[in-house]
Amino acid sequence: SDKDGENPASSQVENVLTSNPAVVKVLEDHGRHGLETGDHITFSQVKGLDGLLSPGDGKPSTYEVKVTGPFTFELPGVDASDCSEPAMQGYITQ
């Protein structure tokens, strides 16, 4: 469970925008992401963003989130503005 005692959130990614900071949108038909600002998440099976969110190569394995809406959140400190393409799929887990 997470810090507030609820089950950890898990959602399917619709896209991650090439912005600074990177903005993540989850699939609305799968429900709200259930995250709170300050939560940490991991990504899996993300396609795109030039591999920015793929684990390894010294990149962080977890990312802090700043919630901007029930289906969106930012990744503070993650600059995706130089990536050639947005991410179009994948999963997040708290």
Side-chain angles (χ1 to χ4, degrees):
S1 67
D2 68 5
K3 65 187 176 191
D4 61 10
E6 297 177 7
N7 288 330
S10 178
S11 295
Q12 188 170 353
V13 172
E14 180 174 328
N15 58 47
V16 184
L17 302 179
T18 54
S19 56
N20 184 14
V23 175
V24 180
K25 184 173 191 295
V26 300
L27 287 172
E28 292 186 17
D29 59 352
H30 289 238
R32 298 168 182 255
H33 55 60
L35 299 168
E36 297 176 10
T37 294
D39 284 345
H40 286 78
I41 59 165
T42 58
F43 286 90
S44 61
Q45 301 178 27
V46 173
K47 308 283 191 242
L49 281 188
D50 303 340
L52 181 68
L53 299 176
S54 299
D57 298 329
K59 291 178 281 205
S61 58
T62 64
Y63 297 86
E64 185 174 341
V65 304
K66 177 183 176 189
V67 173
T68 55
F71 305 101
T72 57
F73 56 89
E74 295 178 348
L75 300 174
V78 177
D79 182 356
S81 60
D82 290 333
C83 294
S84 63
E85 61 181 356
M88 299 308 287
Q89 57 184 294
Y91 298 89
I92 59 154
T93 305
Q94 184 179 4

